[in-house]
Amino acid sequence: MQRDDRAKVAHGASAADAAVTALQTEIWRLVRARFEAQRESRGLTQAALAAQLGVPRTQVCVWLREPGRMTVKAAARLLIAMGAELRCQVEERPVDGIKP
């Protein structure tokens, strides 16, 4: 692999990593916002949510505090427990050298 090709691959990887981090952070933000709304409207607590999910309260605390620790599965479980669901869509975007 040529030096320029390695740089393109590395740039593609860093762009992909940034996109994944942005998506993970957005999912976390949405779950966190739902929890805050439920806390204000229904008095939902982390302990009650943990009991409903069958996990320790500390696990719910970690999910709600650290975006990088919340998996898609955890986000889905949290949202379902709060009476919501996560929906996603795929959008086309240009990729160097590949036509959509």
Side-chain angles (χ1 to χ4, degrees), residues 16-81:
D17 290 344
V20 168
T21 298
L23 178 60
Q24 187 172 29
T25 301
E26 179 63 9
I27 291 169
W28 173 83
R29 188 190 66 74
L30 293 168
V31 173
R32 178 79 187 176
R34 179 69 180 201
F35 175 74
E36 293 298 332
Q38 293 285 306
R39 180 163 48 190
E40 289 179 20
S41 68
R42 299 185 341 171
L44 181 65
T45 64
Q46 290 180 0
L49 191 54
Q52 190 174 353
L53 294 171
V55 300
R57 184 199 59 77
T58 54
Q59 182 62 63
V60 171
C61 180
V62 167
W63 287 334
L64 294 175
R65 188 181 61 233
E66 300 176 36
R69 301 285 299 271
M70 184 185 294
T71 64
V72 172
K73 182 177 180 178
R77 290 182 66 205
L78 287 163
L79 287 169
I80 289 167

Side-chain angles (χ1 to χ4, degrees), residues 71-92:
T71 64
V72 172
K73 182 177 180 178
R77 290 182 66 205
L78 287 163
L79 287 169
I80 289 167
M82 293 186 284
E85 66 182 26
L86 179 64
R87 294 183 183 232
C88 299
Q89 72 182 53
V90 175
E91 297 178 5
E92 296 290 335

